[in-house]
Amino acid sequence: MELYLYIALFSPLVGSLFAALFAASPKSLIAGVVPSLLLFTSFVASTILLVNILSGGDIVHVEMMTWIATGNLYIPFGFVVDQVSITMMMVVTVVSTVVHVYSIGYMDHDKSFNRFFAWLSAFVFSMMILVMSDNFAGLFIGWEGVGLCSWGLIGFWYHKESATWAANEAFIMNRIADLGMLIGIFLVYWNTGTLQYDEAFAVMPALNSEILTWMGIFLFVGAMGKSAQFPLHTWLADAMEGPTPVSALIHAATMVTAGVYLVVRANPLYDLIPHVGLFIASLGAFVALFAASMALVNRDMKRIIAYSTLSQLGYMFVAAGLGAYWVALFHLMAHAFFKALLFLGAGNVMHAMHDELDPFKMGGLKKPLKWTFIMMTLASVALAGIYPFAGFFSKDLILEVSLIEHHYIIYSVLLFTAGLTAFYSFRLVALIFHGEERYKLFGIDPHEAYKFVLIAMSPLLILAIIAGSFKMTYFEMVTAVLPATQYHVHSVVTYWIMTIGTQLFVLLAIAFAYKKYANNRITVPNGTSKMENRLCYKILSNQYYIPYVYEEYISKPYRELSEVFWKHVDMKVVDASVDGIANIIYSTGEKTRTMQSGNLSTMLKWMVAGTVALLSLAVVFGLAVRYSDEIKLIFSGLGVQ
């Protein structure tokens, strides 16, 4: 099994390096095909490892080599395939393989086709390191790796100022959060003497609760940045500047799920500090509602789906914060399939609409984009949590957890958010695929995506439909390493009332969205002109003015302060001092270079001057020796020793 571990881990790296060989060359199809095949190889190896786990085989734990060994610090390049990591490996490899194949068609006409696949496979490799490492240091390497690759992919079209700005925003905001995570890792080592998961978690029950609290808080700060939790959330929607396959990968299977994975992996720590867990759950519930509200009025197709991701991450953190770690991981897995499908479907729509993102300028696309319409509609059904799709089983479980744990406010917030999710999801579907063919006003002739692209998307569609049916098998597998709490409402009547009530609420939200947007005449381009003057609409469309606050009260003052320091400290003090020293040395050299001119007259003058100086020193030294006693008396009289 060790061989399959290495194949699963390093196949994406080989694919990235292969594509990088062609990075500066014109488009070569092989630069996309080979990395895609290697990703599929990684998926096959991960599947073999999954079968081994399901059949009762041992956890695969390897130590490839020693990384750091100094004093009491020992950190190996170690990797583990257990029930938690194999779940993430399967999610990452399935979605990544689909995204790679999809990208061959999506990036077909891009001049940087080869470079794109080099970055994309490196992104997957970094995520595999993150989820497979057996220690916090290895996790942090993968953590920073996905941060770097996300910067390269979000800003892939670097000739666009908006893309480079978004890439820098994501990178900087994550670096701020990663400082907190690094402090948390230092606290783990300082108090446990190790960074190995099993060894560190074994020591933690004996530690002071205050120390454990700070560990949990600082580690979660890192998770907040990577999973874009408030107030470090603004980069997530702006990351839509990257190519759509990147959005699918970041938002479904990799980067943003890393924060949830960290909390799940560190479950022995968070079990010891339930008050921190309650904060995580409360923040998650807030973010779920907060993000869903912004999706209600947004007019950018990809941003709506991005806000949906942010909202669903809130659901996952609610489950993890309340100790239902396996439920959080289950929703992470189910969500990855239908959210990746939504993003890839949005990519098809963008290509058909010549990169148009405003759904109010679309409409009636269900005829020319028949298969994309079916896939996005079914993915939206799964996202809304309609039975028997995957989203129903995972999201319904989170609602049950919050109810069973008597967190009624959290339950109410999540239930209301479920209705909002259904509304904005089908608002998007209605605006894009139903109603008038508004795209004709812009002279657009839409067309369906390549057949192989649609075929590549089909596994995600199948999994979005059936993944929930594997709940019990998944529960039995993953609870070998996670708390095995079953969450069921004790009263059957209460359970059915809750379930049917939730389903009716969601269906009413869908019906309302269709009634409002599917058949009504919508003015182009001011599709929501009646709403735009209302205060609530302005607040939501401007993201609660949080980006404005960041810009005006953090970024702008920081730039102004930096300019002051640059002009008055850097230029007038630091640079002036360095330049002054350099000028003195230079002018001294200029004046004394005549010594080496080779002119006999000049050299004789310097010889005389040197002789006079040496004789003067000799006379002074001789007088000092001759009158040393008198000199000592003079200094002693002055009180100098």
Side-chain angles (χ1 to χ4, degrees):
M1 288 296 128
E2 184 176 338
L3 175 62
Y4 294 113
L5 182 151
Y6 289 130
I7 292 173
L9 176 61
F10 289 109
S11 291
L13 175 62
V14 176
S16 175
L17 295 175
F18 180 84
L21 294 174
F22 301 90
S25 306
K27 179 203 165 184
S28 175
L29 188 62
I30 196 172
V33 172
V34 171
S36 301
L37 289 173
L38 286 166
L39 252 297
F40 182 72
T41 303
S42 180
F43 161 69
V44 172
S46 299
T47 303
I48 293 171
L49 291 166
L50 173 64
V51 171
N52 173 64
I53 294 288
L54 288 173
S55 61
D58 293 333
I59 291 173
V60 184
H61 194 176
V62 300
E63 186 176 309
M64 192 170 72
M65 64 181 75
T66 298
W67 177 28
I68 299 174
T70 176
N72 294 326
L73 177 62
Y74 177 72
I75 304 175
F77 275 118
F79 303 97
V80 62
V81 177
D82 62 6
Q83 288 80 354
V84 172
S85 59
I86 193 61
T87 301
M88 293 298 296
M89 288 166 64
M90 290 302 298
V91 170
V92 171
T93 54
V94 167
V95 176
S96 299
T97 301
V98 170
V99 168
H100 270 68
V101 176
Y102 176 92
S103 299
I104 295 173
Y106 189 88
M107 302 297 290
D108 184 39
H109 302 295
D110 197 286
K111 63 180 181 179
S112 298
F113 179 91
N114 304 344
R115 178 169 61 90
F116 178 80
F117 280 92
W119 274 114
L120 200 65
S121 289
F123 193 32
V124 179
F125 172 63
S126 298
M127 190 66 187
M128 293 294 277
I129 288 179
L130 190 157
V131 302
M132 294 175 69
S133 290
D134 68 349
N135 61 81
F136 283 102
L139 178 142
F140 192 71
I141 293 174
W143 195 273
E144 296 305 303
V146 294
L148 173 64
C149 294
S150 68
W151 173 81
L153 288 166
I154 295 168
F156 181 76
W157 290 316
Y158 54 85
H159 55 277
K160 292 169 56 180
E161 185 178 350
S162 58
T164 56
W165 188 92
N168 290 336
E169 180 193 23
F171 190 82
I172 292 168
M173 196 163 285
N174 274 277
R175 297 295 74 72
I176 294 169
D178 291 352
L179 175 61
M181 181 179 175
L182 204 54
I183 293 172
I185 292 174
F186 285 151
L187 285 173
V188 170
Y189 176 72
W190 190 265
N191 290 279
T192 66
T194 181
L195 292 177
Q196 297 296 117
Y197 293 144
D198 51 355
E199 296 175 7
F201 295 146
V203 174
M204 285 180 183
L207 298 178
N208 182 280
S209 62
E210 186 176 349
I211 293 294
L212 294 172
T213 298
W214 284 113
M215 278 185 199
I217 289 173
F218 280 114
L219 288 176
F220 181 64
V221 168
M224 286 172 64
K226 199 65 75 183
S227 294
Q229 296 297 284
F230 179 87
L232 304 175
H233 65 281
T234 56
W235 70 267
L236 192 69
D238 294 332
M240 295 302 98
E241 289 291 338
T244 301
V246 174
S247 303
L249 203 54
I250 289 177
H251 288 248
T254 56
M255 189 164 171
V256 298
T257 60
V260 179
Y261 172 77
L262 173 62
V263 176
V264 172
R265 177 57 78 182
N267 71 89
L269 167 61
Y270 287 101
D271 275 342
L272 297 170
I273 44 175
H275 52 291
V276 175
L278 181 58
F279 168 77
I280 293 172
S282 301
L283 180 64
F286 166 75
V287 170
L289 179 59
F290 172 74
S293 65
M294 291 187 287
L296 293 175
V297 301
N298 201 277
R299 292 184 56 167
D300 183 310
M301 176 173 56
K302 287 175 65 177
R303 282 177 176 263
I304 292 170
I305 304 174
Y307 286 130
S308 172
T309 298
L310 183 54
S311 181
Q312 296 306 305
L313 286 167
Y315 275 88
M316 297 174 207
F317 277 115
V318 167
L322 296 180
Y325 305 104
W326 74 268
V327 176
L329 201 58
F330 185 51
H331 190 50
L332 185 158
M333 177 182 67
H335 170 264
F337 303 137
F338 52 74
K339 186 52 60 70
L341 186 60
L342 272 174
F343 268 114
L344 299 183
N348 292 349
V349 174
M350 283 181 64
H351 265 201
M353 291 294 296
H354 302 174
D355 292 333
E356 178 58 61
L357 287 167
D358 187 351
F360 282 90
K361 296 180 181 180
M362 300 177 189
L365 285 173
K366 67 179 179 181
K367 292 180 181 178
L369 275 65
K370 175 184 175 183
W371 292 107
T372 298
F373 160 64
I374 292 171
M375 289 183 178
M376 287 193 71
T377 301
L378 293 178
S380 298
V381 171
L383 174 60
I386 301 296
Y387 181 85
F389 288 74
F392 166 80
F393 293 94
S394 58
K395 190 187 292 186
D396 202 57
L397 264 175
I398 298 173
L399 289 169
E400 286 183 44
V401 169
S402 58
L403 188 64
I404 292 167
E405 296 293 334
H406 307 296
H407 296 289
Y408 302 116
I409 295 177
I410 291 177
Y411 171 78
S412 301
V413 169
L414 294 184
L415 179 61
F416 181 62
T417 303
L420 297 184
T421 302
F423 177 81
Y424 68 67
S425 297
F426 282 89
R427 167 183 179 262
L428 186 63
V429 170
L431 286 170
I432 294 173
F433 297 108
H434 298 279
E436 298 177 298
E437 297 172 333
R438 298 181 295 277
Y439 60 85
K440 291 183 177 179
L441 298 175
F442 303 93
I444 297 174
D445 182 22
H447 56 85
E448 184 61 278
Y450 297 126
K451 287 185 179 179
F452 81 88
V453 167
L454 297 172
I455 293 170
M457 293 167 63
S458 58
L460 295 178
L461 176 62
I462 294 168
L463 289 168
I465 296 171
I466 69 169
S469 61
F470 301 126
K471 184 177 78 170
M472 291 313 300
T473 302
Y474 169 79
F475 170 79
E476 292 170 2
M477 179 191 78
V478 80
T479 51
V481 292
L482 295 177
T485 307
Q486 285 266 31
Y487 295 96
H488 293 300
V489 177
H490 296 303
S491 169
V492 175
V493 175
T494 303
Y495 171 78
W496 281 110
I497 290 173
M498 185 187 77
T499 303
I500 295 172
T502 303
Q503 292 287 289
L504 287 174
F505 181 50
V506 168
L507 290 171
L508 283 172
I510 293 172
F512 181 57
Y514 265 103
K515 184 177 185 303
K516 186 172 179 60
Y517 295 104
N519 298 313
N520 290 356
R521 295 181 61 84
I522 297 173
T523 306
V524 179
N526 300 317
T528 53
S529 56
K530 293 180 180 179
M531 292 283 294
E532 286 176 356
N533 293 324
R534 297 180 182 178
L535 178 62
C536 183
Y537 180 89
K538 289 183 177 180
I539 291 173
L540 295 179
S541 62
N542 286 286
Q543 303 174 57
Y544 293 91
Y545 292 95
I546 292 172
Y548 172 81
V549 170
Y550 286 174
E551 175 63 26
E552 290 297 316
Y553 298 104
I554 297 177
S555 299
K556 191 174 179 180
Y558 181 79
R559 281 196 302 270
E560 292 173 351
L561 183 63
S562 298
E563 190 171 344
V564 169
F565 274 93
W566 168 55
K567 289 181 177 178
H568 299 288
V569 178
D570 195 31
M571 298 295 291
K572 293 183 179 180
V573 178
V574 178
D575 281 6
S577 300
V578 174
D579 292 344
I581 294 169
N583 289 332
I584 291 170
I585 294 172
Y586 182 80
S587 60
T588 303
E590 281 290 313
K591 291 175 181 177
T592 57
R593 67 189 297 180
T594 55
M595 285 190 292
Q596 303 296 328
S597 66
N599 185 286
L600 182 60
S601 175
T602 302
M603 294 176 72
L604 286 172
K605 289 177 183 178
W606 280 108
M607 288 175 63
V608 171
T611 302
V612 170
L614 288 172
L615 289 173
S616 299
L617 287 172
V619 169
V620 171
F621 182 73
L623 290 172
V625 172
R626 172 68 179 79
Y627 297 104
S628 59
D629 294 337
E630 289 81 352
I631 293 171
K632 289 179 181 178
L633 287 172
I634 292 170
F635 278 105
S636 63
L638 295 172
V640 180
Q641 297 296 323

